[in-house]
Amino acid sequence: MAKELTQKEGAFLAGMLALLFAVGKERMPAGITGAFVRLLALGTALWVLYTATIAVIDPLALAAVFLSLVLGLLFLVVAPKPGSEGQQPSLPDYFLCAGALACGAYFALEADRIVARISLLDPLTGGDLFFGSLLCLLAVEATRRTVGLGLTMIVIAILGYNLWGHLLPGLMGHGQITFEHFLDQTVFTTNGIFGAPVRVAATYAFLFVAFGTILEKAGGSEFFFNLAASISGRSVGGPAKVAVVSSALYGTVSGSPTADVVTTGSVTIPMMRRLGYSGSLAGAIEVAASTSGGLIPPVMASAAFIMVEITGIAYVTIAKAALIPAFLYLLSLFVHVHLLSQKLGLAPMDARTIPGLRQTVRAGGLFIVPLFALIFALFMGYTASLVALVGIAAILAVALLRPANRLGPRALLDSLITVSLRIVAVTAACAAAGLVVGGISMTGLSGKISYLVFLFSDGSVFISLLLTAVVAILLGMGMPTPSAYIMSAVLTAPILLDLGLSTLTAHMFLLYFAVLSAMTPPVAVAAFAASSLAEANPLAIASKAVMLALPAFVIPFIFAFSPALLGQGSAVDIVYALITASIGVILMAVALAGYLRCRLNWYQRLLFLAGGVLLTIPGWATDVAGLLAGGLALLSSAVRSHGSRLATPVKGEAKS
């Protein structure tokens, strides 16, 4: 009976999650509608390129036209429900598309007046009220279709709080905000729906997604996979290591952990399963590896560009700060996968399918040039948009050198259309985030939440960090990383700054957990993306992915107390922090894998874990204690390994 109730409760929970985070079915219409979709997608891409290279346009006008074009595209290519049948839009979809494009036309025609008006002093016209209200409603519906009810309910709650929050008593109440005041600030300034999130989607994010898409179209993703296979495919657990390396490489340009799972996972997950990995383990390895890609420059899940806008910190500073934490994440994951593969006796890749390193580099080594072009442009101090354009130009240049990789006009136009289609969901989420940010700014909600966090934490820095991490993960459930980071930054960054963290440290801390939310149960959008490829339960995939990447959840706390890991401080401090943190995450990976030449018992795992945690805590005393604990664990495991025959990998457990 208890088991039956548990099953019913599990089914109910799964049903509720499906209801909250179900999104509309993606589709590609045929016929005249399909031609119009392609034309609209191409027009959107050309508009972004035009504004990035030639035109000088007011940010509000740029964001308004871009958002209207994307919303018009969205209602044609994303159905209202996950179970919608057919590829053709319905009559309401056409009306919604027409409404979005009408909003864009209105803002384009009235741009000079809207930009010149003085907010809250010049009254809104009837047209302003109509099209402003329509755009807000369209943004909410677009959010529901692309992100689900979870974020949509947050948006509606914030909008309701703006309009009726003055009726609440005590701390949570605020001064009365009329509908015209709300619309003025939300739509006709850059403080709301046309704020930093949408402007970033219309500039940096779009161009870097274009960089990744064009690189993929030219054959760059195949090169990165072959490079990973040639480097690590022949060792124990080769397919899993290939998944880690290739997903991390692809993640540097994909801009989305979920997109990374779908792209590289379509190759790595079936390959792992064929060689004995369980579906949930194969999916978990891919999810953990793809999530790491969201923390590696240059794209960093597109959130790094939003951080530039919010903080004013130079992009190159953010990119450099991300390098050591990303290295620690990948190091711990690679070690864990290696030890787990030994423990389960998992085979390497079939030698006949592994390309030679020399052959791989000869065939596609030129694709490293665009990455170096990006790095060069970054260190030259170019803007993020110009960096992306330099990278795109480098791809087109190197692709010309080999006929197999050459992109003709049609392929290039198809790439631009693909970029517009890929940016649809991100833009909708960014518009929703803009509504939330605008609402929070008008009501002072972030200050109230800061007060509550201080109240619960009683001024403790660690507890405050823990609470803000939980908030970032909760906000990131079921939504793209940029939106999760934006809302976390608006709501909780002031708390971290009040605790004494630098602006860079505080925002990197929040970015980390916004990215990690992609694989954190119960929503774990990256795990849901992997579930169909792995044919496994998404919650089982997410749980195993978290265990594989558990040190990644510790890394933000390390650099919060030791900014040297973000490249802040002297060279000696940075190198010392890197060495101790590296040893620490390796020891944690050993403890989590439960294997080092032989199976570890509970107290050996506890010693490894204690040593790893102590080494990540800044200070000579904790470092010495961590080394002693780790050394004792190593000695104990070596004695046990020497005195028994358990060093032989135990086979037949990969399916467990």
Side-chain angles (χ1 to χ4, degrees), residues 295-467:
L295 298 164
I296 304 172
V299 178
M300 295 173 65
S302 301
F305 313 123
I306 298 173
M307 193 189 298
V308 173
E309 290 288 325
I310 293 176
T311 64
I313 299 172
Y315 174 72
V316 66
T317 303
I318 295 170
K320 287 192 293 186
L323 290 175
I324 294 178
F327 166 76
L328 293 174
Y329 184 155
L330 285 172
L331 176 65
S332 66
L333 180 59
F334 195 89
V335 170
H336 193 157
V337 166
H338 172 74
L339 295 174
L340 195 62
S341 299
Q342 288 186 328
K343 180 180 179 180
L344 300 178
L346 296 171
M349 289 176 62
D350 186 343
R352 293 170 296 180
T353 66
I354 302 174
L357 181 58
R358 183 178 299 178
Q359 172 193 347
T360 299
V361 172
R362 186 185 299 120
L366 286 173
F367 287 115
I368 297 175
V369 173
L371 298 181
F372 280 111
L374 284 180
I375 295 169
F376 174 77
L378 281 173
F379 282 94
M380 288 296 292
Y382 295 171
T383 64
S385 294
L386 191 53
V387 168
L389 290 171
V390 167
I392 292 170
I395 296 169
L396 297 176
V398 300
L400 288 173
L401 300 176
R402 295 186 75 247
N405 303 114
R406 198 168 295 157
L407 293 176
R410 184 178 181 84
L412 193 55
L413 292 178
D414 285 342
S415 297
L416 293 177
I417 291 169
T418 301
V419 176
S420 294
L421 295 174
R422 286 181 174 178
I423 206 73
V424 159
V426 173
T427 303
C430 285
L435 289 173
V436 172
V437 170
I440 289 171
S441 300
M442 271 188 282
T443 58
L445 185 60
S446 61
K448 298 167 186 176
I449 291 178
S450 298
Y451 172 77
L452 291 174
V453 170
F454 272 116
L455 196 65
F456 281 112
S457 66
D458 196 26
S460 166
V461 175
F462 177 75
I463 295 176
S464 297
L465 287 169
L466 193 60
L467 289 173

Side-chain angles (χ1 to χ4, degrees), residues 14-22 148-150:
M16 290 299 295
L17 289 173
L19 177 66
L20 281 175
F21 301 104
L149 276 177

Side-chain angles (χ1 to χ4, degrees), residues 31-120:
I32 295 175
T33 303
F36 178 73
V37 165
R38 291 176 63 83
L39 185 63
L40 183 57
L42 180 59
T44 303
L46 293 176
W47 166 256
V48 173
L49 292 174
Y50 170 69
T51 57
T53 55
I54 299 173
V56 178
I57 298 178
D58 182 84
L60 191 149
L62 183 153
V65 173
F66 172 78
L67 179 60
S68 301
L69 290 171
V70 172
L71 289 180
L73 186 62
L74 184 151
F75 293 120
L76 297 180
V77 300
V78 181
K81 296 183 296 183
S84 298
E85 296 182 0
Q87 295 294 309
Q88 296 302 111
S90 63
L91 188 60
D93 294 328
Y94 286 113
F95 277 118
L96 291 172
C97 172
L101 296 180
C103 288
Y106 179 80
F107 279 96
L109 293 172
E110 297 289 327
D112 291 340
R113 178 186 62 83
I114 292 172
V115 170
R117 69 181 292 275
I118 302 174
S119 179
L120 299 180

